[in-house]
C-alpha cells in the first residue's frame, strides 16, 4: 500500500498530544518560577516595595522654614524653633565663657604690671 508523501511528511513533523502536554507543563512551571523571581527582585528581603522612591517615615521632623540656604540642614537655620534657640543659647554660653576668660587674663596682666591688689 502506497501512502501519500505529503500526509506522511505532515504526520512525521507533527507533535504528539503527550509531547504538547509535557511541554505545556514545563512552560507553565518555568513561567511561574520566572514570575516569582521578578516578585522577589521587587519585594525581596534586600529591596522593599518601591525602593527607588524616598520614604519620609524614618527621618525626624525637620520641615522648618530656613532663614537662608546657607543655614539649610543646620540647627541655626530653623527659624522660630527649639533647635535654633538651643543652638544660639549654646553659642552665647561659649561666647560668654570666652569673654570671662579674656577679662580674667586682662585683669591678671593689669595686676602684674601695676602691682594692684
Amino acid at each position: 500500500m502506497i501512502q501519500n508523501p505529503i500526509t506522511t511528511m505532515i504526520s512525521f513533523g507533527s507533535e504528539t498530544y503527550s509531547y504538547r502536554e509535557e511541554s505545556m507543563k514545563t512552560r507553565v512551571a518555568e513561567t511561574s518560577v520566572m514570575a516569582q523571581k521578578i516578585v522577589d527582585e521587587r519585594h525581596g528581603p534586600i529591596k522593599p516595595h518601591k525602593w527607588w522612591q524616598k520614604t519620609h517615615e524614618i527621618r525626624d521632623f525637620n520641615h522648618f522654614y530656613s532663614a537662608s540656604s546657607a543655614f539649610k540642614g543646620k540647627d541655626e537655620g530653623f527659624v522660630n524653633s527649639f533647635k535654633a534657640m538651643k543652638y544660639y543659647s549654646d553659642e552665647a554660653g561659649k561666647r560668654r565663657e570666652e569673654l570671662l576668660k579674656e577679662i580674667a587674663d586682662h585683669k591678671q596682666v593689669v595686676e602684674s604690671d601695676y602691682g594692684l591688689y
Side-chain angles (χ1 to χ4, degrees):
M1 174 164 147
I2 299 176
Q3 291 184 340
N4 185 351
I6 294 174
T7 307
T8 306
M9 183 182 72
I10 290 173
S11 65
F12 181 72
S14 296
E15 299 171 340
T16 63
Y17 179 78
S18 61
Y19 176 78
R20 279 185 290 168
E21 279 293 315
E22 286 302 314
S23 65
M24 181 65 170
K25 287 179 186 176
T26 305
R27 200 166 72 219
V28 167
E30 287 175 353
T31 304
S32 175
V33 168
M34 292 305 290
Q36 189 60 44
K37 281 184 183 178
I38 291 171
V39 168
D40 286 346
E41 287 174 0
R42 191 167 171 219
H43 305 284
I46 299 167
K47 297 178 187 173
H49 180 57
K50 294 185 181 178
W51 57 270
W52 62 91
Q53 294 180 346
K54 290 182 180 178
T55 178
H56 302 289
E57 296 171 2
I58 57 173
R59 67 178 189 182
D60 292 335
F61 177 78
N62 61 355
H63 310 287
F64 299 106
Y65 169 74
S66 291
S68 170
S69 62
F71 296 135
K72 189 171 185 177
K74 299 178 182 174
D75 287 343
E76 62 265 29
F78 299 133
V79 176
N80 293 336
S81 70
F82 287 107
K83 287 184 178 185
M85 187 221 40
K86 181 166 175 15
Y87 173 81
Y88 286 112
S89 238
D90 293 345
E91 290 298 312
K94 290 177 190 173
R95 180 67 179 140
R96 179 180 177 272
E97 293 301 318
E98 289 173 8
L99 289 174
L100 288 175
K101 186 174 185 262
E102 187 178 319
I103 290 170
D105 290 345
H106 182 68
K107 187 176 178 183
Q108 256 185 348
V109 169
V110 169
E111 287 176 358
S112 65
D113 285 348
Y114 297 109
L116 303 172
Y117 302 112

